[in-house]
Amino acid sequence: MSDIIWGTVTKIISTNSFEMNVSHQKDTNQDGYQDVEEINFTEINIPSIPVDENSRNISQIEENLKDKFVKCEISGRNSENRLVCVCLLYTSPSPRDKRQSRMPSS
């Protein structure tokens, strides 16, 4: 089972990577994650972003991911220390997803 984190995309780095503010993570994650992580995505579920990385451009990624809330299923880290993930555009965490919020409770 993969580790899973959720958060908001804050900065586009390239046609296959972005910076994310991590706001939630699954309680059963094997590793710990920083408040801000760089993500390298191997797959993404947004139809307007081409599957083939060579067919993408930065403006497509900006338009479709910046400031969006995403779920990342982590498979590891690459040589640049970025998380390697399958990313899903996410509207809200499902009640069945066990997660830990890093936001203080009121």
Side-chain angles (χ1 to χ4, degrees):
M1 184 179 291
S2 301
D3 281 5
I4 298 174
I5 58 175
W6 294 265
T8 304
V9 176
T10 56
K11 176 182 169 186
I12 304 304
I13 299 168
S14 72
T15 57
N16 71 341
S17 60
F18 58 83
E19 185 178 274
M20 180 173 98
N21 282 341
V22 178
S23 57
H24 299 79
Q25 60 180 303
K26 193 169 65 169
D27 288 337
T28 57
N29 282 350
Q30 298 297 310
D31 291 320
Y33 300 96
Q34 302 295 317
D35 290 340
V36 176
E37 289 280 2
E38 288 188 359
I39 308 294
N40 184 286
F41 59 90
T42 56
E43 295 177 44
I44 197 151
N45 76 332
I46 302 173
S48 51
I49 296 178
V51 174
D52 178 19
E53 183 184 344
N54 296 322
S55 300
R56 300 179 194 148
N57 62 52
I58 294 288
S59 61
Q60 288 171 315
I61 307 299
E62 285 264 346
E63 182 179 322
N64 291 286
L65 277 181
K66 185 139 180 3
D67 299 322
K68 301 290 191 295
F69 193 74
V70 296
K71 172 184 177 181
C72 295
E73 298 174 0
I74 302 162
S75 61
R77 286 197 186 265
N78 66 14
S79 60
E80 298 170 305
N81 203 35
R82 290 184 181 146
L83 295 174
V84 177
C85 305
V86 170
C87 295
L88 307 168
L89 190 59
Y90 215 67
T91 54
S92 65
S94 163
R96 71 176 186 274
D97 287 328
K98 297 198 183 272
R99 70 208 186 283
Q100 173 185 343
S101 176
R102 291 192 183 176
M103 299 172 72
S105 34
S106 311

